[in-house]
Each structure stands twice: as C-alpha cells, then as structure tokens.
Amino acid sequence: MIINGKTDEFVQWYDEDGNIINASDGGMIYVDGTYHWYGMQLRPLPFAAEGHGGQTTTVGVVMYASEDLYHWRYEGVVLACENVPGSPLEGPMRFERPKIIYNRKTGKYVLWCHYVKRPGDHGFTEGTAEAGVAVCETVNGPFRWLGTTRPIDEKGLVRDCTVFQDEDGSAYFIYDRQVGEDRCLHIVRLSEDYLSCTDTYRRIEAAFWREAAALVKKDGYYYMITSDLTSWEANQARYFRTKNLMGEWEDMGDPCIGDVDHTTFHSQSTFIFRVQGPRELYIHMAERHNTDNFERCSYIWLPIDFHENHRLSLSYRERYLLEE
C-alpha cells in the first residue's frame, strides 16, 4: 500500500532493513522486472557547519529496488561523493535532482543532475550552477563522473533540472535557466549518446519563473507539471501541454483537485513514471521537504488522472493500492 498520510504530515518511508528511505528529488527507472528508485541522500540537519542551502550530501546519489513498489531494499550508493580535498565531488555538495535514462544504442545508463560544488551553496560563479553528467554500464552503479556543462551558453545558470526520453529514443535535458533576473524553463536535446547537450533547444515561454519540471507523454500530448520559485515553501502547481516537444507549450493551470491551500498538497514535483502492467497507470512523484531535518522528508505519490479533453489532474489520497 502507498501511504502518503494527511496533506500536512511527514510520513516516513522505510526500506526492508527498517532504515528511512533518503532519496531526495530523484526518479524511477524500470529494468528487468525491478523498479529502481534513486535520489540524493541528504544530511540530517538543515544548516550544518558547511553549506547553507540545506539540501546537500556527503554521501551522493543512492538507490533502492523493488518488484512491487511497496517493499524497498537498499542497493547502495550509485554516484559517490569523494573525501578528497579539491575534488569536484568533495562533500558537502549537491547532485541535485538526479535523473537516469538508458541509451539503447550504447547500452549505457546516463545520469544528469544539477551540480553544485563544495560546500553546496547555489551561486553565480563556476561550479555553483552547472549541469552534471555521469555514466555506467549497469543501472545500480557505480556511475563514472564525466564533468559539468552549461547548456546553450556559459551565461545561462543551471538550476532545477530533469531529463525526458521520448518514444523514438531521443532524450532531452529540461532546466530552469537563469540569466540575471530572467528565469525560464528551457528544453535542450541531448546528443545521441546522451552524454552532452546539442545546439537544439527551446525556451518554454509559458513556463516563465517555473521549476521542478516532471514530464509525461500520453495519447500524443506531452505534459509537464511544475512549481513556482519559492525556495522551500510549497506553492501552487501549474502544468503545461504540447503536441510538439520543441514547439509552443500551453498553460493549463493548476492540476491539483481539492488543494485548498494551493500548495500542491504541501509538496513539490520530482518525477513521473509508468507502473508496469496491463493497466495504464502513471504515478506523479513529489516530495514534502522537511526543513527541520532534511533526512526526514516525505514522499507523496499520486496517480495521474487523464481526461478525454487531453487534460490531467491530481487528487490527494492518504493511502491506496496500485491495483485499485
């Protein structure tokens, strides 16, 4: 059973060993009958001696595995920090919003993230607002760090990001691009091996001042659920749709039904994945940030309702079975 709890409480999720699942702002990938849930392992305190942004790691990106989405076993660290002074992976730092996709042509798994060097504070200088990439032959690591980049040009700072893989195998890096006071979601096509960004990109004008993008494609439409920019404060979601990934996007408003506080049920989008099986069920993954102790954030998983008029919605459920 998926247990989200009430809309204003932090419900802890535990692995099979009884340890808190600590996989912040990650995603899901299904490989050979197993779901692999991954995310950045956060430090237990919001403001430790080094780093003032709260969401930093000294461990790296971790992964959990499940065959039924109810019971999770810890697989370990798939992209590790290094205890080496001066290393680009020296913690505390950030592999923020990591996302993994599989390249059928190369047979490799590729991880993209928002990279921030030690001590993990967002900034405007080199190393504080980058896109980072790593690669591995197996889904559960260890991933090999390849380095960082700024898509489009060097002046565009990288903030929240995600990746999306289309049905034809093409892949895209979507991120909140900041140039001065201008912040807008952009989508950039990745190279055929997914290891670099190409010169093909689109500024999503409708998604100005938005972040935390989560994408899904259904019946010929692409949908993207996003949040406003309010730091750790939850805010009202908005979603966008298009029939052309690199074309114009339409603002469809708030997808949340019954969200009386206009806070995306006190959470923020992280990823959307499809449940395997005959039923076409998509789950919207979100996170309820616990700024008193980032190690104890909550995970809010809600089924997406798709409607005949090519709209979607999210309704809150305190608990439910995927088979319902």
Side-chain angles (χ1 to χ4, degrees):
M1 179 175 289
I2 304 298
I3 301 177
N4 295 317
K6 297 179 180 179
T7 56
D8 59 351
E9 70 175 322
F10 293 97
V11 174
Q12 304 305 149
W13 292 30
Y14 294 88
D15 65 19
E16 292 181 344
D17 295 323
N19 298 314
I20 292 174
I21 293 177
N22 186 348
S24 177
D25 289 339
M28 189 78 66
I29 184 169
Y30 184 79
V31 179
D32 296 331
T34 300
Y35 296 93
H36 299 268
W37 175 14
Y38 54 86
M40 187 172 68
Q41 184 178 113
L42 300 184
R43 295 188 292 170
L45 297 177
F47 303 112
E50 294 181 274
H52 302 288
Q55 194 185 35
T56 60
T57 184
T58 55
V59 175
V61 179
V62 298
M63 181 173 283
Y64 300 82
S66 175
E67 283 69 48
D68 59 9
L69 294 172
Y70 298 138
H71 306 90
W72 295 95
R73 60 186 176 276
Y74 181 61
E75 289 194 279
V77 182
V78 299
L79 177 59
C81 295
E82 295 179 354
N83 189 23
V84 179
S87 166
L89 305 186
E90 181 188 7
M93 48 87 65
R94 300 193 194 201
F95 297 112
E96 197 166 67
R97 294 190 171 268
K99 299 295 180 289
I100 298 172
I101 49 177
Y102 178 68
N103 190 307
R104 294 189 294 268
K105 292 182 179 179
T106 65
K108 295 181 179 181
Y109 296 88
V110 180
L111 182 153
W112 282 86
C113 67
H114 170 208
Y115 167 86
V116 184
K117 68 180 181 180
R118 181 189 179 100
D121 295 331
H122 289 154
F124 301 90
T125 59
E126 183 179 355
T128 64
E130 321 300 321
V133 61
V135 66
C136 188
E137 286 69 32
T138 58
V139 67
N140 52 5
F143 279 75
R144 177 169 56 92
W145 184 249
L146 299 181
T148 63
T149 185
R150 288 187 181 176
I152 303 177
D153 57 44
E154 286 299 312
K155 67 181 181 180
L157 306 178
V158 178
R159 303 305 186 191
D160 269 9
C161 67
T162 191
V163 292
F164 177 76
Q165 187 177 41
D166 211 343
E167 297 164 333
D168 62 1
S170 59
Y172 302 83
F173 182 77
I174 301 96
Y175 72 112
D176 167 22
R177 183 174 186 264
Q178 179 178 5
V179 180
E181 295 300 316
D182 181 85
R183 295 183 67 169
C184 187
L185 287 174
H186 285 65
I187 180 168
V188 183
R189 183 169 179 140
L190 295 177
S191 59
E192 288 194 6
D193 61 8
Y194 300 173
L195 301 181
S196 61
C197 293
T198 70
D199 294 332
T200 301
Y201 69 91
R202 175 84 185 195
R203 176 186 169 100
I204 307 175
E205 295 289 351
F208 181 77
W209 209 252
R210 307 299 295 178
E211 65 176 4
L215 282 78
V216 63
K217 186 179 183 181
K218 179 77 162 59
D219 297 334
Y221 278 84
Y222 300 90
Y223 302 88
M224 178 173 61
I225 300 176
T226 70
S227 81
D228 201 352
L229 279 68
T230 55
S231 187
W232 301 113
E233 296 296 326
N235 58 67
Q236 187 174 22
R238 280 166 58 193
Y239 80 101
F240 307 86
R241 74 177 183 188
T242 185
K243 297 190 75 172
N244 178 6
L245 194 62
M246 302 298 282
E248 295 289 338
W249 288 74
E250 182 182 5
D251 187 346
M252 304 301 295
D254 188 350
C256 299
I257 304 299
D259 181 23
V260 296
D261 297 324
H262 304 299
T263 58
T264 319
F265 308 116
H266 298 278
S267 69
Q268 186 183 44
S269 298
T270 63
F271 196 66
I272 297 170
F273 71 94
R274 181 176 178 178
V275 178
Q276 299 299 306
R279 180 187 176 195
E280 196 171 13
L281 175 64
Y282 293 86
I283 299 294
H284 175 259
M285 301 172 68
E287 188 161 325
R288 187 165 293 158
H289 299 297
N290 188 341
T291 54
D292 291 328
N293 188 339
F294 278 96
E295 186 182 45
R296 294 178 175 267
C297 295
S298 289
Y299 308 103
I300 310 301
W301 290 11
L302 296 175
I304 299 177
D305 295 314
F306 291 95
H307 307 287
E308 292 183 356
N309 58 356
H310 300 293
R311 292 177 177 267
L312 61 77
S313 63
L314 296 171
S315 297
Y316 197 79
R317 303 187 190 185
E318 291 187 14
R319 59 182 62 205
Y320 62 95
L321 293 171
L322 293 168
E323 296 80 7
E324 292 178 341

